[in-house]
Amino acid sequence: MARRRIKGKRAVRKTPRRGKVSRRFREFSEKYVPEERFSAHAKENRRLSDEIISQIYSLGGEADYKEILEATSAMRGKRKEIFSLIDDLIHQRILSKNGKKRYALNANHFMEGILSVNPKGFAFARRLTADSKKTSDKDLFIPAREVASGLHGDRVLLQVTASRRGRFEARVVKVLERAVKHIVGIYRAGGELAGASVIPEDERYPFVVSIAENSTLNAAHGEAVLVELQEWGEEKSRATGRVVEILGDPDSIKVQMEIVIRKFNLPHVFDDKTLKQAESFSDKVELTSDRLDLRDVFHVTIDGETARDFDDAVSVQKTKKGYRLYVSIADVSHYVTPGSSLDQDAWERGTSVYFPTGVLPMLPERLSNNLCSLNPDVDRYAFTAILDFDRNGKRLKSQFAKSVIRSARRLTYTLVRQILVDKDPALRRQNKVLLTPLKWMGELGSELEKQRIARGSMGFEIPETFIEIGPDDTIVSVSKRHRNQAHKIIEEFMLAANEAVAETFALRKFAALYRIHQSPDIVKVAEFAEFVTSMGYYLPGDNYSSKWFNKLLEQTKGTPREYLISNLILRVMQQARYSPDNIGHFGLAAPFYTHFTSPIRRYPDLMVHRALKQMLWPEKKKKSTQATSVPLVEAGEFVSKRERVAVDAEREMEDRLKVRYMADKIGEEFSAIISGITSFGLFVQLTETMLSGAVAITDLTEDSYEFHEKRHTLVAGWSGKTYQIGDLVVVRLVSVDKQKQRINFVLVDGNKTSQIDDERGKNSKADHPPR
């Protein structure tokens, strides 16, 4: 068990013992000591050595002396130095000699990677495979001194230098491609002694951008601006650029959204051709011979109160054998054809991005909120999955049709809950026409959920955060968004449609995009199992199937730890992604799964619609399913990446708003749960609002603490007091850092509640049957 002794006010460090140093390590140290200790001559030699390595790499990993010299003017006139450095590289086994004056790079020591820089200066690199520029699983660690001129997101050439505790270390040899051309920052007006500058808003870019006097766009001091970077010197502090856009006052939450949009390089302006094309479509909906007339089927949409685009409508009918479910999805592919300007803009976005302050739609509003939105009392083109189930929710038959529907009502989750669950008398009288359809929906939804859970689908209940924005650009409230039966009904219907479409592709062996989720890494799961066992949970067996995880989720259901354990399980899981290779979906315990139900906001769903049409109506002229002619494998990787970018942007925007919401609550106390423990302190999550913050170890009581890494605990050496993930505590807000998006708390004395002790007793092994 890994342990570290930590003081309440300072960490105790041990000085490593000096031992024998190998010749190779000594040679390496002499060549790669920190740059600040280099002589000018040594720095120049290192620079030239990196140039030699880079040029040989760019020439395919092998080159002769003449090719090395001709590749760059920096080496001309330095014949003797080049020969000496090449000999040195051969001696270090970085190069090998192939014939007379021909040299090959040791491929095992060099690779490309994408930098992920920490604000503290060090970095990690996701390795890229040579064939397709895919990232591999294992990251390389790069000490701060070896990051060189690399910036966050850059594609770089790396040299592996060491291996420690199973992780490889590396150094940046050369920046191959800059990831960032523009940076958002805060403008600082120049004075008599210094010119204007911009301080990057993102801590991962630790430099200042100098702005020429004629390149400021007359920005005011303190405004948020977008800067186009023009030059990167050898030293990061010498970057220069020009202001290309003034965003405004960074204290405005609308400006914060603009900052996030530009930080993540989110497409937010449609091409003029796209807008013109969207406006050119007729409002008229015609029933053609290839479409099924479903306007007499009682469809309804069920969404949130603030939803503006309705891409799915549902209907349930009782049959002799059970139920018939209609899942009608907006037929976006009718309007958005492959290769069109509309399609190209949608492809580049990949998905809509939703912020509390606004939305960046994948499609122009003419489509997303009008022609493709299944608004009530208007005819709309749809693509319908017609699914028959028995009384126990087992699917008997599935068919798909292009259709025309007419939604009867626009319902909200709240209204459905009030009618179906609360059985509000007044609302039931006002909505008599809905009572039977909603009753059937509730019955079928319940049976589908039972079927899904029985097969092992994981029953996560993770509430989302709801941030209410007022009309005056202020944050009114932050609260948990609770799911009710109406959410579950729609979720089950969408899952059923997605599975039916995926199974149809698989059975017909038709090339299409699946939504896949790999099983988690066994080592990670074993470590997780050991940890939750230490928390008092009983987990029989070690097959680590989705049913195994469900047994744990069942034990935490309804307890303060439910959300925490669900989040910890998500950290163990792999990321779901899009791929033409169907391996099933671990989390859903589904052998076939895809995304079919949201083509207004997800490009993969649009691709699936096109593929389904090609499969069902092969006599039609075959067209590509996406904007470009890239293979399905690459298309899956691209849309998966766009999804992750959108999720990261949405999460960052929420974090920015949460920090600003807490700014005027200094000194207030809150109930919280410990969500993480490190050697430098605790992470806590407020139970009412789901906001997260930290408690520094220096702010704990005067005591020494022992950090148990595997058990995620801090144990006080003198008092024996223990802090563990899942403990309920009371915290007081002491500071908020808007720039770094950090919320800092201290523990309130005597704060650990008795609830946690009750829960531990409830989950003790003695209360469970033997293993």
Side-chain angles (χ1 to χ4, degrees):
M1 183 180 297
R3 299 179 181 178
R4 290 180 61 186
R5 175 72 67 177
I6 302 162
K7 282 273 193 177
K9 292 296 181 183
R10 67 181 183 186
V12 179
R13 300 175 182 269
K14 291 184 178 180
T15 304
R17 293 181 300 173
R18 294 184 177 273
K20 293 184 178 180
V21 181
S22 68
R23 179 181 62 82
R24 289 185 65 188
F25 181 82
R26 188 166 54 250
E27 290 174 350
F28 175 84
S29 299
E30 290 169 356
K31 186 165 185 63
Y32 297 121
V33 294
E35 286 198 20
E36 61 268 17
R37 296 174 57 188
F38 273 17
S39 64
H41 178 70
K43 282 186 178 181
E44 178 65 11
N45 280 350
R46 182 175 184 177
R47 187 184 68 80
L48 288 174
S49 293
D50 286 349
E51 282 289 336
I52 293 169
I53 292 169
S54 301
Q55 297 309 329
I56 295 176
Y57 180 82
S58 68
L59 293 168
E62 188 172 331
D64 59 29
Y65 177 75
K66 186 177 180 182
E67 288 174 323
I68 295 172
L69 283 182
E70 289 178 349
T72 175
S73 59
M75 297 184 186
R76 292 170 191 167
K78 298 183 180 180
R79 181 183 180 91
K80 184 181 290 187
E81 291 94 328
I82 299 303
F83 266 122
S84 175
L85 289 171
I86 288 175
D87 286 341
D88 189 24
L89 292 171
I90 292 172
H91 179 67
Q92 297 173 52
R93 300 181 183 178
I94 292 173
L95 297 180
S96 59
K97 196 169 184 179
N98 292 346
K100 188 176 181 181
K101 294 185 180 180
R102 190 157 187 85
Y103 309 98
L105 202 61
N106 186 338
N108 293 328
H109 291 178
F110 296 91
M111 63 196 66
E112 292 185 22
I114 303 295
L115 283 185
S116 179
V117 179
N118 186 280
K120 294 181 180 179
F122 62 84
F124 291 95
R126 292 178 289 127
R127 294 191 284 182
L128 297 172
T129 57
D131 56 342
S132 63
K133 298 292 185 283
K134 298 178 187 176
T135 57
S136 70
D137 293 333
K138 296 181 179 179
D139 290 351
L140 298 157
F141 174 72
I142 305 170
R145 67 177 182 275
E146 303 292 7
V147 175
S149 60
L151 299 176
H152 180 73
D154 286 351
R155 182 168 65 89
V156 296
L157 177 61
L158 299 162
Q159 179 185 3
V160 179
T161 57
S163 176
R164 300 172 191 232
R165 297 180 183 177
R167 183 185 289 278
F168 288 102
E169 291 188 7
R171 57 178 290 267
V172 174
V173 176
K174 186 179 179 65
V175 175
L176 301 175
E177 182 182 4
R178 290 290 185 189
V180 175
K181 306 292 190 299
H182 297 83
I183 285 182
V184 176
I186 305 302
Y187 180 79
R188 295 287 181 255
E192 294 182 4
L193 300 178
S197 63
V198 170
I199 301 174
E201 210 247 1
D202 192 331
E203 287 182 286
R204 295 171 299 185
Y205 299 106
F207 54 84
V208 175
V209 184
S210 297
I211 308 294
E213 188 176 350
N214 60 351
S215 301
T216 67
L217 285 187
N218 296 320
H221 182 82
E223 284 189 314
V225 297
L226 182 67
V227 171
E228 179 185 61
L229 294 173
Q230 295 175 317
E231 291 184 8
W232 291 271
E234 287 299 317
E235 302 295 333
K236 297 176 194 176
S237 59
R238 297 178 185 173
T240 62
R242 67 187 185 94
V243 176
V244 294
E245 186 179 7
I246 298 174
L247 303 180
D249 181 1
D251 285 334
S252 164
I253 60 175
K254 290 181 180 178
V255 172
Q256 285 295 311
M257 185 177 79
E258 297 299 325
I259 289 174
V260 172
I261 289 171
R262 284 150 186 81
K263 176 178 178 178
F264 287 89
N265 198 25
L266 300 175
H268 58 286
V269 178
F270 287 105
D271 186 90
D272 288 340
K273 291 182 180 179
T274 298
L275 295 174
K276 187 176 181 180
Q277 184 181 359
E279 293 298 328
S280 70
F281 295 118
S282 170
D283 290 332
K284 190 175 181 180
V285 174
E286 297 180 338
L287 181 64
T288 53
S289 60
D290 61 345
R291 288 191 180 272
L292 199 61
D293 188 352
L294 298 179
R295 288 175 290 185
D296 289 335
V297 175
F298 189 81
H299 281 86
V300 297
T301 62
I302 306 177
D303 294 274
E305 278 78 4
T306 59
R308 296 174 60 195
D309 54 338
F310 313 115
D311 50 13
D312 60 86
V314 295
S315 180
V316 173
Q317 297 173 349
K318 257 299 186 50
T319 65
K320 290 182 179 180
K321 294 183 178 180
Y323 304 91
R324 169 164 285 187
L325 168 65
Y326 294 86
V327 178
S328 293
I329 306 301
D331 190 0
V332 176
S333 61
H334 174 80
Y335 298 98
V336 184
T337 54
S340 64
S341 181
L342 264 172
D343 191 42
Q344 187 62 47
D345 268 3
W347 165 259
E348 289 175 359
R349 283 162 171 75
T351 179
S352 296
V353 184
Y354 295 90
F355 300 128
T357 47
V359 60
L360 300 183
M362 187 181 80
L363 300 171
E365 285 195 14
R366 168 69 173 157
L367 292 180
S368 62
N369 293 356
N370 189 349
L371 296 180
C372 292
S373 183
L374 305 181
N375 300 325
D377 301 321
V378 291
D379 291 354
R380 287 288 183 258
Y381 292 122
F383 204 168
T384 301
I386 306 172
L387 311 176
D388 292 330
F389 299 91
D390 67 15
R391 289 181 177 82
N392 296 318
K394 181 180 179 182
R395 178 157 42 88
L396 303 174
K397 182 182 176 182
S398 61
Q399 55 183 315
F400 308 94
K402 292 190 291 183
S403 63
V404 174
I405 74 161
R406 188 179 184 88
S407 174
R409 294 286 292 272
R410 181 267 200 263
L411 307 181
T412 66
Y413 295 118
T414 301
L415 178 62
V416 173
R417 187 206 73 216
Q418 290 171 331
I419 293 174
L420 202 58
V421 181
D422 301 342
K423 299 190 182 300
D424 184 292
L427 288 176
R428 289 175 70 87
R429 283 194 299 271
Q430 294 170 18
N431 298 278
K432 286 184 179 180
V433 69
L434 296 175
L435 299 185
T436 299
L438 289 182
K439 178 176 178 289
W440 291 344
M441 286 184 193
E443 291 173 357
L444 178 58
S446 178
E447 294 302 325
L448 291 176
E449 184 181 19
K450 289 177 186 176
Q451 287 276 347
R452 184 171 56 82
I453 297 299
R455 77 186 184 204
S457 180
M458 295 172 67
F460 285 114
E461 288 289 344
I462 301 181
E464 298 177 355
T465 301
F466 174 66
I467 301 177
E468 183 182 357
I469 304 299
D472 55 347
D473 196 25
T474 58
I475 306 166
V476 176
S477 65
V478 176
S479 59
K480 284 193 288 190
R481 192 198 303 268
H482 294 282
R483 280 163 33 93
N484 59 48
Q485 188 180 357
H487 291 88
K488 293 182 178 182
I489 289 172
I490 293 301
E491 180 181 283
E492 293 301 332
F493 292 173
M494 299 304 111
L495 290 173
N498 288 336
E499 289 181 34
V501 172
E503 184 175 356
T504 302
F505 284 141
L507 293 178
R508 298 201 188 186
K509 298 181 180 179
F510 192 87
L513 208 59
Y514 294 90
R515 178 70 167 178
I516 64 171
H517 185 217
Q518 293 173 283
S519 56
D521 181 82
I522 294 297
V523 175
K524 287 184 178 180
V525 180
E527 291 175 352
F528 170 76
E530 182 181 348
F531 163 58
V532 293
T533 300
S534 72
M535 294 178 70
Y537 294 106
Y538 173 68
L539 296 173
D542 58 357
N543 64 346
Y544 303 146
S545 65
S546 55
K547 289 185 177 180
W548 181 89
F549 284 100
N550 267 344
K551 290 176 182 176
L552 173 60
L553 289 170
E554 191 62 33
Q555 293 178 61
T556 65
K557 193 171 184 179
T559 72
R561 286 178 171 174
E562 180 179 12
Y563 174 75
L564 173 66
I565 294 296
S566 295
N567 263 308
L568 292 175
I569 291 175
L570 284 178
R571 294 179 196 175
V572 175
M573 294 290 141
Q574 306 254 26
Q575 282 187 324
R577 56 190 175 87
Y578 298 101
S579 171
D581 301 320
N582 179 42
I583 62 170
H585 196 291
F586 178 84
L588 292 173
F592 314 102
Y593 195 67
T594 190
H595 275 167
F596 164 78
T597 55
S598 298
I600 289 179
R601 62 182 179 89
R602 287 192 307 229
Y603 195 88
D605 301 53
L606 177 57
M607 293 176 63
V608 166
H609 277 226
R610 290 170 177 166
L612 191 57
K613 286 182 178 180
Q614 288 177 10
M615 184 189 70
L616 296 175
W617 297 280
E619 68 278 3
K620 300 288 185 181
K621 186 177 180 181
K622 189 174 181 180
K623 295 181 180 180
S624 171
T625 58
Q626 66 267 359
T628 62
S629 58
V630 298
L632 271 178
V633 172
E634 293 181 27
E637 292 171 359
F638 176 77
V639 291
S640 296
K641 181 179 178 181
R642 294 309 305 164
E643 176 192 32
R644 289 192 291 271
V645 170
V647 169
D648 289 343
E650 290 169 350
R651 184 179 294 124
E652 169 142 339
M653 186 62 201
E654 283 198 0
D655 289 343
R656 289 169 179 261
L657 295 178
K658 289 174 183 177
V659 167
R660 283 157 177 77
Y661 175 72
M662 296 295 285
D664 62 352
K665 294 171 176 56
I666 305 297
E668 293 185 25
E669 295 183 359
F670 305 89
S671 296
I673 188 169
I674 296 178
S675 57
I677 293 182
T678 68
S679 60
F680 51 83
L682 314 173
F683 290 102
V684 296
Q685 187 167 62
L686 307 189
T687 55
E688 290 298 318
T689 59
M690 315 304 292
L691 272 69
S692 297
V695 177
I697 199 166
T698 52
D699 289 329
L700 295 179
T701 56
E702 290 283 356
D703 205 335
S704 62
Y705 291 88
E706 194 171 306
F707 174 47
H708 296 242
E709 187 172 355
K710 286 190 176 180
R711 296 187 66 178
H712 298 269
T713 56
L714 275 181
V715 181
W718 300 333
S719 66
K721 194 171 188 177
T722 300
Y723 295 105
Q724 184 181 42
I725 285 184
D727 283 355
L728 297 177
V729 295
V730 177
V731 294
R732 182 185 300 115
L733 181 64
V734 291
S735 67
V736 169
D737 189 329
K738 293 181 182 178
Q739 177 66 28
K740 296 181 179 180
Q741 298 165 41
R742 292 175 186 165
I743 302 174
N744 302 309
F745 298 98
V746 294
L747 296 179
V748 177
D749 290 339
N751 58 71
K752 289 177 69 174
T753 71
S754 59
Q755 286 179 269
I756 204 69
D757 298 321
D758 293 340
E759 190 182 343
R760 278 178 177 156
K762 200 168 49 177
N763 291 309
S764 65
K765 295 178 184 178
D767 295 331
H768 290 278
R771 292 174 183 263

